[in-house]
Amino acid sequence: MKTMTFDPFRELTAVGEELDRFINRTLSPEPGGARSWTPPLDIHEGSDAIELTLELPGLARDQVEVEFEDGVLSISGERAYARPADAEAYRRVERSDGRFSRSIKLPQAVVPGGIVAAMADGLLTVTVPKADEAKPHKIVIGDTPVVEADAAV
């Protein structure tokens, strides 16, 4: 059974990320300038690994970078959108383009050399294996308590 820990800043972090997305959408420069967007991210924690899935439609593998350093998994890239010469004729443009970057602080020890990433059908899946010390361990309940003797006595 997995124990959930209370994180009072989780909702605050989510609000901050949404505010960042709003500011990026509102203050983005005109076409041709440096724009940014934030792809949706799902994080699933299993008993042996943490799996992250990002929606990256229209991107190829060579347009995405995945790095791990100091407990932080960083995923970045750029999606270009070729706007036609008659861009003024568009009534609505909702597809995002430009650079993106997501950095996720992983909650426990992982095996950096075992991290794998795969991309198919517009989804990037990154699997981060947990280190043995981060995996759950079953504790056997005995009949009598074990008291360690003080070595100095």
Side-chain angles (χ1 to χ4, degrees):
M1 178 175 167
K2 183 177 174 188
T3 303
M4 298 294 292
T5 56
F6 175 68
D7 181 3
F9 298 104
R10 181 175 48 210
E11 291 299 319
L12 187 58
T13 301
V15 168
E17 290 173 356
E18 186 61 33
L19 183 59
D20 286 344
R21 282 191 288 271
F22 172 76
I23 290 171
N24 284 335
R25 282 193 308 265
T26 305
L27 301 178
S28 289
E30 293 300 311
R35 300 172 65 99
S36 66
W37 59 286
T38 304
L41 166 71
D42 292 338
I43 302 175
H44 174 263
E45 183 173 350
S47 60
D48 293 331
I50 300 168
E51 186 175 276
L52 300 93
T53 306
L54 276 85
E55 290 183 7
L56 299 174
L59 268 74
R61 288 179 185 91
D62 62 349
Q63 294 175 292
V64 180
E65 293 181 11
V66 179
E67 298 176 346
F68 180 78
E69 183 178 351
D70 295 330
V72 177
L73 183 73
S74 298
I75 303 167
S76 61
E78 185 169 4
R79 177 167 58 194
Y81 173 61
R83 287 182 168 68
D86 63 345
E88 293 177 8
Y90 279 85
R91 295 185 183 265
R92 184 181 203 108
V93 176
E94 293 185 354
R95 293 180 290 165
S96 299
D97 64 332
R99 293 214 37 88
F100 73 89
S101 179
R102 300 293 307 258
S103 293
I104 300 92
K105 173 83 171 140
L106 298 176
Q108 69 268 330
V110 298
V111 181
I115 298 173
V116 293
M119 195 156 174
D121 299 326
L123 293 176
L124 172 68
T125 302
V126 181
T127 304
V128 183
K130 292 181 181 179
D132 286 337
E133 63 267 16
K135 294 178 183 176
H137 297 282
K138 185 170 180 113
I139 309 299
V140 177
I141 302 172
D143 294 331
T144 59
V146 176
V147 179
E148 292 189 28
D150 188 21
V153 176

